[in-house]
Amino acid sequence: MAALAAGSLVLTAGCSSGDGSGSTAGVGGTPPASGSSPATSAPSASPALPPAKGSVKVVSTLTEGLESPWGLAALPGGDLLVSSRDKGTITRIDGKSGKKTLLGAVPGVAPAGEGGLLGIAVSPTYGADHLVYAYFTTESDNRIARMQYDEDGTTPGQLLGAPDTILRGIPKGAIHNGGRIAFGPDRMLYAGTGETGDDGLAQDKKSLAGKILRMTPDGEPLHGNPAADSVVYSYGHRNVQGLAWDGQKQLWASEFGQDTWDELNRIEPGRNYGWPEAEGKAGKKGFIDPVAQWKTSDASPSGIAFVKGSVWMAGLRGERLWRIPLSGGADEEPLAAPQSFLEGKYGRLRTVLAAGGDKLWLVTSNTDTRGTPKPGDDRILVLQVR
């Protein structure tokens, strides 16, 4: 990497304390016009660079008692929507009090293994249409649907309209279903998918598995995509569960490795990210190497967000939050070695979302059958970061 010695390319874990001090080792936006390619040009004014070393302070616990939370989306005004993978429901969380209101269950969700109700996103024109998007597993596939949220409704549990499926036929499996969705700075919908444990699907451009997808809010391909008749944006992915855009409108994605390396990738349209021929920094011709990599025991990353000049990455197996400060240049390389925070303090960490300014929402994941729940799990934490 541009600002790091070769030895720091391999990221190892360090201890982090609960007071926010970190060890040195190891996101949506506001979506140009429909059909245009994503904007990647840098703003005229260069933003201030983040410090080489950052900090994390847990400001508060917004809410507790969530069951298998997975997706998180912010509503205008500051309230949140959270999905339950195993219950197949969406709940509204008051952004100040943490009060929970059940919107309802998404019809057709068939939880099993790592599948169920996964990522959610709010329409970029929510003020006019009140549409909520969801990525979920059914008996036959993974798909993306949208539902109208009746904010004026008075019956909790019955506030979601019938789902309108905009994309179906994403392969499903007991593992590696991907699931993160987010609207980008171009106002288009992006989705990260998994290869379902069938390695060959990641290299098959005709399959929607092991890909990052880009589509209109109606689920249609865009002429700015690598292939005009396809929603496939990049390929060669194992299991993408994190999507975020930096200050240069550059897309980043986190990806689960198999036994060796987890990855943070800078996503370029039409490029091949190597799986299953390459895991981590393989240096193989024709494949894009990750910008950063971690041992799978240190990360197993799910959600990512961009706040205060850094990518923040939630780790499941690693049970820690990673900070990767970016250079702010056109190519956005890390300017220092990543740091870990909160190691082991809150268990498995699933999702992060920018909360405005220097704040970040963080969702734990200890009730997903793979964690060890503590009283109050699962929860949404409010973090102050730099």
Side-chain angles (χ1 to χ4, degrees), residues 64-109:
E64 297 182 334
L66 300 173
E67 184 175 334
S68 61
W70 209 101
L72 189 70
L75 290 168
D79 286 358
L80 299 172
L81 300 180
V82 60
S83 65
S84 168
R85 186 193 69 182
D86 296 340
K87 295 179 69 176
T89 57
I90 298 177
T91 298
R92 181 169 181 156
I93 310 296
D94 187 286
K96 295 181 179 179
S97 70
K99 178 184 176 182
K100 298 189 286 285
T101 302
L102 178 65
L103 272 59
V106 178
V109 176

Side-chain angles (χ1 to χ4, degrees), residues 192-246:
T193 73
E195 34 77 302
T196 73
D198 183 347
D199 293 349
L201 294 180
Q203 292 294 321
D204 181 358
K205 294 182 182 180
K206 294 182 180 180
S207 172
L208 298 180
K211 308 294 189 296
I212 292 176
L213 312 177
R214 176 178 178 254
M215 67 201 81
T216 69
D218 297 324
E220 298 296 325
L222 288 154
H223 291 295
N225 283 358
D229 60 347
S230 173
V231 296
V232 173
Y233 192 66
S234 63
Y235 66 108
H237 298 288
R238 185 170 181 268
N239 191 21
V240 174
Q241 288 190 9
L243 300 172
W245 287 262
D246 63 25

